[in-house]
Amino acid sequence: MSAEIAKLMEAVRGGRAEDVPARLEGLGAAERRTVLARLKVLRAEVRGWESKRPREAADVRRALYVAGAGCHPGAAGAATWLGGRDLLPWRSEGGDLVLRAVAGQTPEWLAEVAGRLAARPSVAEHSYRVIRGLAERAGCPVPATDGYVLGWAWEFRAGSRWRRSADAPALLDRLREDPQTPVLVVHALSMAESPDELTWTLTEAPRAHWPTAVAALVAEGVLDRAEVLGAAVSRLLRGGRPRDLRFPLDVLRLVGPTAAEFRERVPDLVGMVADGPSPIAGYAQEALSGLAADGTLSTGALAEMTGAALFRTEKKLVRAQLTLVGKVLARDPGAAAELLPAVSEVFGNEDTELQGRGLKLVGRHLPAVDGSVRLELAGRAGLLSPVHRQAAVELFGGSVEFGAGLPYEEILPPVPEPQLVGPPAATVEELVEELLAKGVSDDPVRFERALDGLVRHAHRDREALTSAVREAFATAGWEEPYHFAYGSHGVHAVLAGLLGTVDRSWIDSRLAREPEATACLHEGLTGIRDTRLWEAASLVGTDALPFLLAAPTLSTGGIDPATLVERLRAYRDAGVEHAPVDLAQALLRVLRADPGAGRAAEEAWELDTPAGLRLAAWLRSETPLAADVRVLGREEDRSLLRWHVVHRLVVDVADSAVVREEFPPAFRWLGGVLEAAPRSCSHWIVGGEHWASVLPADREVLAACLVPSLARSVGGGARETTEPLTGTAEAEGPVGRGVALALALGLGNGDADDRLRAVDALLVLASRGDLDARRVGEELGWLLAEGSVKPNRLADAARTAAATGAYGTVWAVLAAALPEALGDGKPVRGLGEVLAVAADCVERCGARGELAGLDGVASAKGSTQLVAQAKRLRDALRR
């Protein structure tokens, strides 16, 4: 080995990356190929240093990063080396050294490496400086990719040092000086997911507010106005998450398109009104309304816009559109023939007040249309709610058909059939690809499939899997136990166990941990999942864990009893003792109500193994788990009503000697160990998407565990707390107060998406025949009466559920909720919206009868919505 090669390898092994470029200068092509082979060997060697020599490994990797770039003769190989997960430096650290190392390469070589790195999103983001330097030296165009723009935006981030400094350069100045700005700003406006820095508000970072800076550069001519407007409008038209639309929307508002520029984009604006999220639709509606007011919006475009706006559910948008059409028709009555059919779209709206407005607008301008349009409008009038049918008959005469005489038919979603969980990945390569996939830890089915595959492949060929994991994952930090302390890394904890990077004493301490008597219930649920991971981490790749007993066979998390028996038989035949946590989770998941459970119990007993005997006893037990929910202030001290509901909920897990004595520590709270006391879940909730799969055969216990976190979010603030309700509705087991109260809190949740999930759960239970509508309504009644659930939120949820065709189901719930909410002459403030939904349900499903407390409100004087809707509901019930 030549002295030059020896000195270079000495620098690399010593982690002296700054010495590498100089050592490379004297090496020829043949010598660099020799060095490259040695670098690959050293790279593999360094992967084994993580647990005992982490800092040294990091320094050597940095040196490898630089040296490998300088030794690769081909651009493809160099790009692959620079994009390696284990070598990828944080935020382009070492980028200047790489540029020095490749200084002798041709412009074509530099451009190809830059393009290959920029094409890989995660690599481009962290290699921004390298890519930019390569492109500048090659003289090639800016590689405008999402990953590259993410790295570029990071470079402009308002760091604490210069953000607080009065004389620090503002974002506008830095963008103005950067020659990449014209290309990359336009690309940033078009990105499906906006970089975090671009979504900051003006109050968060006044000197680093991107929309303000972009608008200023457009005014200066640094950015092409047409390109910026075109990119922003196109991005808004594609839709997406509100967060990702904030940047292009703010840019549009600040740039301020002229009327002429809006006229050029009328079809795009109409598309936003039709399909955009509410803020985007509102912006487009405002822009088109300005054109209509100026008389420069064609009648055809206004009619298309009207049909789109009136099809939406947002009342504000619908009201604004009806007002706009009314103004246009007052100015131009001749447009009625084209606009009124579009207005009739509102006849099918779920809100009867909006139906009435539309009907009045049609009535005012009906004389201006001919017979064919009149007949078309009369046909649409058949969609009107019964409360408006008399007015429609008076307007259109006998040409209106309401489908009289047709029997009401309740429409519920099909009963969901649990999907079979597919087999785990067949090869190590497929498994690693699954593990690398985004969101695998957040999807219970994908997570369980990947975990089962990991255990199976580790047992078959631990060496091959270990090598593949080291190649694919950046494992820095895996030697620190706290890296996995909160379960946020999911299956990565098991990978760390496979690599031997986590101390065994840490794992043992986690396996022995039991929730404290005052712990939150959701901590207990998350703790079960985390304990499974730690047990798998301790046994993965050994003969003690050939495969998982607890791997679900169904998408709900449930396990077919016969399949579990077969797994236990395979364990017995192989002479393998069950892992305690794995068996405990399998018992919680086995479907005791399955038709084959009886036969499975007999076969499990015949296995004559400890695990088989436990399974047989578990399957024969009617209710091994149970829970009770009480609310202080109703059953006990009324003075407690001034407390928020979350502080008055008592969840009492029933005593179960089997669970307390035979299950591992993390499960014993399910045997009644926790104190029966109010539980406030005030901290961040992690892992909620997995809760339903922990208890797929005991939904009442699961629902009881969800109640405290649902109560916390009923007032708003926390989000995604109702996500486990879908799994609860699809689970097995008895239905009691826990399920009813969980549904009631979900239907009154402060977040619209959370309410929607609760609606789905309600309808699924109804379709399965498991919904106790009266009980859900009673829970809603007292929650409304004490103010925990706001009437407008319940009205929104009930209206959404009813609009699917489940008018009878929704009325059954509201009929039980309204008596207490109506009170003794003192109805809950804002109850008129709920009464409107109830009246619509009664009119459509044909329910009859009396409702306690309704007469008093309906007989009151005045024309408020409360009184008007109370009268409407009373009349509908007496027809």
Side-chain angles (χ1 to χ4, degrees):
M1 181 172 63
S2 69
E4 290 78 8
I5 292 178
K7 290 179 181 179
L8 173 58
M9 292 305 301
E10 181 182 352
V12 175
R13 280 193 170 274
R16 301 191 305 274
E18 61 278 357
D19 294 344
V20 170
R23 298 298 180 191
L24 283 168
E25 289 179 0
L27 300 181
E31 291 173 309
R32 294 194 183 209
R33 284 194 295 271
T34 300
V35 172
L36 182 59
R38 297 177 183 274
L39 294 177
K40 291 179 179 179
V41 173
L42 179 57
R43 180 180 180 181
E45 180 185 335
V46 171
R47 289 174 183 143
W49 296 3
E50 293 163 345
S51 60
K52 297 181 180 180
R53 303 158 63 184
R55 292 185 179 179
E56 183 180 355
D59 289 340
V60 174
R61 282 198 181 102
R62 187 165 177 254
L64 282 167
Y65 180 72
V66 177
C71 289
H72 270 89
T80 300
W81 183 273
L82 291 172
R85 287 177 176 269
D86 57 331
L87 299 182
L88 193 62
W90 180 250
R91 294 297 172 196
S92 294
E93 182 185 348
D96 292 340
L97 298 176
V98 168
L99 295 176
R100 286 172 53 195
V102 301
Q105 297 290 356
T106 66
E108 293 77 15
W109 189 96
L110 298 174
E112 184 178 349
V113 173
R116 286 176 178 271
L117 292 176
R120 297 172 59 184
S122 60
V123 172
E125 180 180 1
H126 301 308
S127 303
Y128 164 74
R129 293 179 191 170
V130 172
I131 298 171
R132 178 164 185 167
L134 291 169
E136 288 176 345
R137 295 190 181 200
C140 64
V142 173
T145 65
D146 286 4
Y148 185 75
V149 171
L150 285 171
W152 179 67
W154 172 266
E155 290 293 310
F156 284 93
R157 186 167 189 156
S160 58
R161 179 182 62 80
W162 61 270
R163 177 170 37 171
R164 290 195 291 263
S165 175
D167 58 352
L171 174 67
L172 174 60
D173 299 326
R174 302 176 74 198
L175 286 173
R176 186 187 290 118
E177 296 168 359
D178 191 341
Q180 297 182 113
T181 294
V183 173
L184 297 188
V185 163
V186 172
H187 186 91
L189 284 166
S190 304
M191 289 173 65
E193 296 184 11
S194 294
D196 291 339
E197 295 76 16
L198 276 60
T199 63
W200 284 341
T201 65
L202 189 59
T203 55
E204 288 176 319
R207 293 176 61 81
H209 188 237
W210 280 76
T212 298
V214 170
L217 293 177
V218 169
E220 294 174 10
V222 175
L223 296 177
D224 184 273
R225 182 182 180 89
E227 285 188 357
V228 169
L229 291 179
V233 169
S234 296
R235 178 63 191 90
L236 295 180
L237 186 61
R238 297 202 311 270
R241 298 182 304 172
R243 172 198 171 281
D244 295 320
L245 299 177
R246 187 182 305 155
F247 175 52
L249 179 59
D250 287 348
V251 167
L252 266 188
R253 290 189 185 281
L254 290 172
V255 172
T258 64
E261 289 170 330
F262 276 137
R263 283 196 297 274
E264 293 175 358
R265 296 172 171 84
V266 166
D268 292 337
L269 293 171
V270 172
M272 292 182 208
V273 172
D275 302 316
S278 193
I280 309 304
Y283 173 81
Q285 184 185 51
E286 182 182 343
L288 291 169
S289 296
L291 297 180
D294 295 340
T296 56
L297 183 67
S298 69
T299 303
L302 178 57
E304 185 179 359
M305 170 198 179
T306 299
L310 299 187
F311 187 73
R312 298 185 67 102
T313 59
E314 298 95 330
K315 296 180 182 179
K316 181 179 179 180
L317 295 176
V318 175
R319 290 194 189 102
Q321 194 65 29
L322 290 175
T323 300
L324 172 63
V325 173
K327 291 179 179 179
V328 171
L329 287 176
R331 186 180 67 231
D332 182 13
E338 199 166 354
L339 292 179
L340 290 188
V343 170
S344 68
E345 182 71 47
V346 80
F347 292 171
N349 194 284
E350 59 191 20
D351 189 287
T352 56
E353 186 266 337
L354 294 175
Q355 290 182 10
R357 286 192 179 200
L359 186 60
K360 290 179 180 178
L361 178 59
V362 169
R364 283 198 298 271
H365 299 279
L366 192 62
V369 302
D370 59 23
S372 62
V373 175
R374 186 185 185 96
L375 190 61
E376 179 183 353
L377 295 172
R380 294 283 300 174
L383 299 174
L384 288 165
S385 172
V387 71
H388 297 303
R389 289 179 179 177
Q390 182 59 39
V393 170
E394 294 174 358
L395 184 61
F396 297 107
S399 56
V400 184
E401 296 183 4
F402 297 108
L406 295 177
Y408 171 74
E409 182 179 354
E410 185 83 351
I411 300 175
L412 293 171
V415 177
E417 293 292 337
Q419 301 299 307
L420 293 176
V421 176
T427 66
V428 169
E429 291 75 18
E430 291 175 5
L431 173 63
V432 169
E433 187 175 340
E434 274 192 10
L435 295 172
L436 288 171
K438 186 177 181 180
V440 66
S441 291
D442 300 328
D443 185 311
V445 174
R446 293 171 63 199
F447 168 80
E448 292 288 350
R449 185 176 181 272
L451 180 60
D452 188 31
L454 173 56
V455 169
R456 289 175 182 270
H457 281 287
H459 180 257
R460 293 171 189 163
D461 192 343
R462 178 169 186 163
E463 183 178 348
L465 181 58
T466 300
S467 176
V469 169
R470 283 178 174 159
E471 179 72 26
F473 290 87
T475 56
W478 284 17
E479 70 281 351
E480 299 294 341
Y482 63 79
H483 188 76
F484 307 102
Y486 303 101
S488 60
H489 295 270
V491 78
H492 287 187
V494 185
L495 294 177
L498 176 72
L499 299 180
T501 61
V502 183
D503 190 273
R504 180 55 191 254
S505 62
W506 167 264
I507 295 178
D508 291 341
S509 69
R510 304 298 292 186
L511 291 175
R513 179 174 294 186
E514 182 175 354
E516 297 180 1
T518 57
C520 287
L521 293 160
H522 72 251
E523 285 182 295
L525 289 169
T526 303
I528 288 176
R529 172 188 178 249
D530 291 350
T531 303
R532 287 185 65 217
L533 293 174
W534 289 119
E535 182 182 76
S538 69
L539 299 176
V540 65
T542 70
D543 291 337
L545 195 66
F547 57 85
L548 294 176
L549 297 174
T553 59
L554 298 176
S555 57
T556 60
I559 299 177
D560 170 60
T563 300
L564 183 53
V565 172
E566 287 303 313
R567 291 174 180 174
L568 292 178
R569 181 176 289 112
Y571 263 51
R572 184 200 63 182
D573 295 345
V576 177
E577 185 69 25
H578 67 269
V581 176
D582 187 30
L583 177 62
Q585 177 65 92
L587 293 178
L588 293 183
R589 284 178 167 170
V590 70
L591 301 177
R592 302 186 304 274
D594 187 274
R599 176 59 183 162
E602 295 177 5
E603 293 182 356
W605 182 267
E606 292 170 359
L607 291 175
D608 196 26
T609 62
L613 296 177
R614 286 182 61 185
L615 174 58
W618 189 262
L619 289 173
R620 288 167 177 164
S621 176
E622 292 185 4
T623 54
L625 300 180
D628 177 60
V629 180
R630 292 181 289 117
V631 186
L632 299 180
R634 294 189 56 76
E635 295 88 346
E636 302 181 19
D637 186 358
R638 297 292 295 184
S639 66
L640 292 172
L641 280 173
R642 68 179 183 276
W643 294 4
H644 190 278
V645 64
V646 73
H647 300 296
R648 296 186 288 112
L649 285 168
V650 177
V651 180
D652 187 8
V653 180
D655 179 80
S656 173
V658 171
V659 175
R660 284 188 288 102
E661 296 170 5
E662 298 182 8
F663 278 59
F667 294 77
R668 290 173 188 159
W669 63 275
L670 287 169
V673 174
L674 298 183
E675 295 178 2
R679 301 186 185 280
S680 175
C681 301
S682 58
H683 48 279
W684 187 257
I685 296 174
V686 177
E689 62 274 5
H690 292 269
W691 293 347
S693 65
V694 173
L695 296 169
D698 294 278
R699 60 179 158 194
E700 177 63 15
V701 179
L702 173 63
C705 294
L706 302 179
V707 161
S709 55
L710 289 169
R712 173 195 168 203
S713 63
V714 75
R719 293 184 176 183
E720 299 182 359
T721 54
T722 63
E723 188 167 345
L725 282 180
T726 302
T728 305
E730 296 176 353
E732 304 294 336
V735 173
R737 187 177 190 185
V739 171
L741 186 53
L743 279 176
L745 291 167
L747 293 170
N749 195 281
D751 181 71
D753 289 337
D754 274 318
R755 290 196 297 273
L756 186 59
R757 281 188 284 267
V759 167
D760 289 340
L762 178 87
L763 296 176
V764 167
L765 282 170
S767 69
R768 298 184 68 182
D770 294 334
L771 177 66
D772 189 339
R774 180 189 60 79
R775 196 161 196 173
V776 175
E778 289 174 348
E779 301 295 350
L780 281 167
W782 69 264
L783 288 168
L784 283 166
E786 71 163 20
S788 294
V789 166
K790 306 301 181 186
N792 64 319
R793 293 172 181 168
L794 174 58
D796 174 68
R799 187 181 299 113
T800 300
T804 67
Y807 296 102
T809 298
V810 174
W811 167 243
V813 172
L814 295 181
L818 286 172
E820 187 161 359
L822 287 166
D824 298 327
K826 297 181 179 179
V828 172
R829 184 181 180 86
L831 195 63
E833 279 195 75
V834 180
L835 290 176
V837 179
D840 191 42
C841 289
V842 170
E843 290 166 351
R844 292 178 183 272
C845 73
R848 300 290 181 268
E850 298 292 330
L851 191 68
L854 183 61
D855 272 348
V857 178
S859 301
K861 296 181 180 179
S863 57
T864 64
Q865 184 190 34
L866 176 69
V867 174
Q869 296 300 334
K871 290 179 179 178
R872 177 187 167 201
L873 176 57
R874 181 194 60 186
D875 294 344
L877 286 169
R878 292 178 178 177
R879 283 196 182 95

